[in-house]
Amino acid sequence: MSKQELVVLGQEQADGCCPTLATAPLDEERAADLAKVFKALGDPVRLRLLSMIASRDGGEVCVCDLTPAFELSQPTISHHLKLLRQAGLIDCERRGTWVYYWLLPGMLERLGDVLRVPQPTGGRG
């Protein structure tokens, strides 16, 4: 494959399919964007928070329901949530005293698509 034919992850191919980590190299910008997301997910507290938000019936959760699940202060939980927001994983809205969080639509699917390993279409050799 020549350099001109090299597909870069994050760019759509001619057939409309997006490449994965297993099928094409990342370009510099896409690698930097994904690194922010994976860095945010690299902390057990943030990973648990994301899971609690994503799995919540109704699609959103109040910070008042998240904080008791941890032996951390409310400001520390808010800091972790801020990092998840900055990574583009969640969003929030203040309603009176409380802040409600939800997973941004399609975010888990996009992460899954990047990490997906394509299934072989034929036999080996």
Side-chain angles (χ1 to χ4, degrees), residues 54-116:
S55 64
R56 184 65 164 224
D57 285 340
E60 64 181 29
V61 61
C62 177
V63 70
C64 63
D65 294 324
L66 295 170
T67 304
F70 299 89
E71 292 184 13
L72 299 169
S73 68
Q74 190 277 326
T76 299
I77 296 298
S78 292
H79 173 73
H80 284 293
L81 290 165
K82 175 184 170 186
L83 294 175
L84 290 172
R85 259 190 8 261
Q86 289 174 339
L89 293 163
I90 62 173
D91 205 355
C92 66
E93 176 182 76
R94 178 171 292 281
R95 297 180 196 153
T97 304
W98 301 109
V99 178
Y100 289 79
Y101 292 87
W102 60 88
L103 183 70
L104 286 172
M107 195 61 204
L108 294 181
E109 291 81 6
R110 285 192 293 273
L111 283 175
D113 288 346
V114 167
L115 297 173
R116 183 178 37 83

Side-chain angles (χ1 to χ4, degrees), residues 2 7-8 18 24 41 47 49 81 83 96 114 124-125:
S2 72
V7 176
V8 177
C18 295
L41 294 176
L47 193 54
L49 283 166
L81 290 165
L83 294 175
V114 167
R124 291 183 177 214

